[in-house]
C-alpha cells in the first residue's frame, strides 16, 4: 500500500527513489495506519509497530581492548 500511494502521488518516480522514501517514511506511515483500538490487530503487531519500550545504552568503560597477562 505504501509503495502504491507513493507511486500515485509522484508520477514517474524511479524504483531507487521509492526505496529511499521507504527508508525515510515507511515507519511513520505504518504507525499512522494502525488503529490501536481495533481488535483485529493482534497484540504482537501493536508491539512491533510501537517499537521497544526502552533503549539500550552502552558505556565505553565496559569495553577493554588491551588485557595484560604477566608471564608467571
Amino acid at each position: 500500500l505504501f509503495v502504491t500511494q507513493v507511486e500515485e502521488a509522484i508520477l514517474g518516480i524511479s524504483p531507487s527513489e521509492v526505496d529511499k522514501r521507504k527508508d525515510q517514511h515507511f515507519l511513520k506511515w505504518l504507525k499512522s495506519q494502525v488503529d490501536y483500538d481495533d481488535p483485529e490487530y493482534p497484540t504482537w503487531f501493536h508491539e512491533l509497530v510501537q517499537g521497544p519500550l526502552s533503549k539500550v545504552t552502552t558505556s565505553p568503560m565496559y569495553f577493554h581492548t588491551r588485557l595484560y597477562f604477566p608471564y608467571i
Side-chain angles (χ1 to χ4, degrees):
L1 288 173
F2 177 79
V3 173
T4 305
Q5 288 180 357
V6 169
E7 290 174 343
E8 288 175 357
I10 306 170
L11 298 175
I13 189 170
S14 68
S16 62
E17 188 66 28
V18 170
D19 289 339
K20 184 178 175 184
R21 289 191 177 269
K22 272 196 283 189
D23 291 341
Q24 294 174 346
H25 304 289
F26 180 74
L27 183 59
K28 185 176 180 181
W29 174 85
L30 181 62
K31 285 182 178 183
S32 71
Q33 298 297 311
V34 175
D35 181 14
Y36 293 104
D37 295 327
D38 189 353
E40 286 188 30
Y41 294 112
T43 304
W44 65 266
F45 188 71
H46 289 273
E47 293 171 354
L48 178 70
V49 170
Q50 290 174 352
L53 296 177
S54 61
K55 293 183 179 182
V56 176
T57 57
T58 61
S59 176
M61 69 180 173
Y62 292 111
F63 298 107
H64 187 62
T65 58
R66 297 178 188 227
L67 300 175
Y68 176 68
F69 297 104
Y71 293 106
I72 298 176

